[in-house]
Amino acid sequence: MNTTPLVQVSALTKKFGKIEVLKGIDFNISPGTVTAIIGPSGSGKTTILRSLNALDVASSGHITIGDVTIDFSKKVGRREISALRAKSGMVFQAHGLFGHLKVLQNVTVGPVVGQKRNRKEVEAEALELLELVGLSDKVHARIHELSGGQQQRVGIARALALKPDLLLLDEPTSALDPELVGEVLRAIRNLADTGWTLVIVTHEMQFAKQVADQVLFIDQGLIVERGTAAEVLETPKHPRTREFLARILGDF
């Protein structure tokens, strides 16, 4: 069994001007696992996620994803950024889909145009991905014909079509009506069951309990507590974690 982490983050810091948002973050992610990042607003959760994709370039520290390692204490070039960014797919709160393209075209345009891959092969893979996220009946639908939850699932399939090593999801249900949240969470659970490596910033604690192999609780730019979902979400040790969960779950 391969025990080498897919992702290794060491001493990661991020400053915006004089404000230090991340203060020396360390964690590993094993392949085929789900990591949930939780914490209060403004704690640095999304900055961690964006740093993994180099959308926010870290101020110092190391990130390794697969065979790509970047030392952010040195000057980082575009080629290094592109190599790191190619390792992960990002799903944002806003779908950002192409309204003039149909569902299948939205999923295939990146691999075909950006990665110069064979269209027929890409379309075959895209159909499998759309089935995985429960949209096999919407292949030829236009984006405006879809609900918010369906659009978010197209966004997930689009990110996966690029064949990333891991998928990063930033509050994927936060912009949805409550009745649409469940369908997106089911799609994400299917990805986890299929063996995709996922990193999710989420406020859905019950969902995190069900799917996460590792939970990181972030507060004021630090990992305050980490462990399995049961350890962090059911029997937290740190008072700050207990305080946060009491406000979210009301059961501590």
Side-chain angles (χ1 to χ4, degrees):
M1 181 179 178
N2 182 12
T3 58
T4 303
L6 173 63
V7 179
Q8 299 176 69
V9 176
S10 176
L12 193 72
T13 70
K14 175 61 182 177
K15 293 182 179 180
F16 292 102
K18 296 182 179 180
I19 300 174
E20 191 173 30
V21 179
L22 299 181
K23 304 173 182 178
I25 298 292
D26 299 274
F27 64 91
N28 293 339
I29 298 173
S30 299
T33 63
V34 179
T35 296
I37 302 178
I38 66 170
S41 297
S43 60
K45 306 184 302 296
T46 294
T47 303
I48 293 175
L49 208 67
R50 290 174 62 89
S51 295
L52 290 174
N53 195 249
L55 291 173
D56 286 337
V57 178
S59 302
S60 64
H62 295 76
I63 295 178
T64 296
I65 304 179
D67 58 356
V68 175
T69 297
I70 295 184
D71 178 357
F72 288 97
S73 64
K74 303 175 181 178
K75 185 176 181 179
V76 180
R78 290 184 179 180
R79 184 173 298 179
E80 292 175 286
I81 293 294
S82 296
L84 185 70
R85 194 167 290 167
K87 289 292 182 179
S88 61
M90 190 86 173
V91 178
F92 301 93
Q93 297 175 21
H95 323 300
L97 301 174
F98 297 110
H100 65 290
L101 299 180
K102 295 181 179 180
V103 167
L104 183 61
Q105 294 170 313
N106 265 276
V107 177
T108 59
V109 65
V112 172
V113 177
Q115 297 179 330
K116 310 300 182 184
R117 290 166 51 197
N118 179 271
R119 181 178 296 277
K120 287 187 177 180
E121 292 179 4
V122 169
E123 288 183 351
E125 293 170 1
L127 291 173
E128 293 179 359
L129 290 171
L130 288 169
E131 182 174 3
L132 183 62
V133 299
L135 290 174
S136 56
D137 60 334
K138 299 295 183 181
V139 171
H140 301 297
R142 296 196 177 276
I143 299 304
H144 68 83
E145 298 172 337
L146 304 180
S147 69
Q150 290 170 333
Q151 290 182 30
Q152 187 64 293
R153 285 184 280 156
V154 174
I156 291 172
R158 180 179 63 177
L160 294 177
L162 296 171
K163 294 188 174 182
D165 288 352
L166 74 157
L167 186 67
L168 310 173
L169 301 109
D170 184 16
E171 295 282 7
T173 61
S174 65
L176 301 178
D177 292 334
E179 62 183 8
L180 300 177
V181 169
E183 64 187 52
V184 175
L185 295 182
R186 282 192 295 273
I188 296 171
R189 186 181 292 111
N190 286 342
L191 301 182
D193 292 342
T194 307
W196 285 92
T197 306
L198 309 177
V199 185
I200 309 171
V201 169
T202 183
H203 282 107
E204 300 284 348
M205 297 300 124
Q206 295 299 335
F207 178 70
K209 283 184 182 181
Q210 296 171 16
V211 303
D213 300 288
Q214 172 179 225
V215 176
L216 307 177
F217 172 62
I218 313 297
D219 190 39
Q220 297 183 10
L222 296 167
I223 298 179
V224 175
E225 189 161 354
R226 74 183 77 203
T228 65
E231 289 169 343
V232 177
L233 299 177
E234 296 179 9
T235 56
K237 296 180 175 61
H238 197 284
R240 183 67 184 96
T241 315
R242 293 197 295 269
E243 178 189 12
F244 171 76
L245 291 173
R247 293 180 179 179
I248 299 295
L249 301 175
D251 57 3
F252 284 95

